[in-house]
Amino acid sequence: MPETAGRRGRRAAGLTRRAALLGSPVRAMLESFHDGPLLAARGYLDDGGGQVMVTAVKLHEDAPRDLVVRAVETTGRAALAILDVPLARIRLTADFGPGQIRTFRIPLDDPLSAVETDLVELGVRKGACAVEAW
């Protein structure tokens, strides 16, 4: 089925990202007293707000020192994604095809060895992304 001008317009408007933001409001939480200094604010991941949207950030169930990051291309057009992961002190760069979902596994003990994994987080695809320290 050919894509209509209306469909292209909706994709270009970033409605997938806007709907996710609307459906996930920021929640304020009271924090109790604790020992030690904590930052007033902390970012765990930044997807840049472009075509590729991060949909999950979690610890791996079988390896709790590994971070799992899942992202999807939302406009139906190929894109280069740059994901900043301050928690691991890395920047991950990867190409995404139209509508492609990609999952990355980042060992927190050695974040520069991050790899792409499959949706069930078992397989490994080395060289599928570029990782650099920042």
Side-chain angles (χ1 to χ4, degrees), residues 48-60:
Q51 290 172 245
V52 175
M53 181 174 69
V54 170
T55 58
V57 179
K58 63 178 189 151
L59 292 177
H60 193 280

Side-chain angles (χ1 to χ4, degrees), residues 61-125:
E61 286 88 1
D62 298 327
R65 292 290 304 152
D66 288 5
L67 190 66
V68 175
V69 175
R70 186 166 294 122
V72 62
E73 191 288 317
T74 62
T75 65
R77 297 184 323 267
L80 176 70
I82 299 172
L83 308 176
D84 288 330
V85 189
L87 181 64
R89 294 186 178 101
I90 63 165
R91 172 171 287 150
L92 192 141
T93 305
D95 288 310
F96 280 72
Q100 185 178 18
I101 300 169
R102 295 184 72 179
T103 304
F104 305 96
R105 186 170 175 172
I106 305 166
L108 293 176
D109 294 329
D110 182 16
L112 292 175
S113 67
V115 294
E116 182 177 8
T117 185
D118 55 24
L119 284 173
V120 292
E121 302 158 16
L122 295 175
V124 172
R125 184 174 160 216

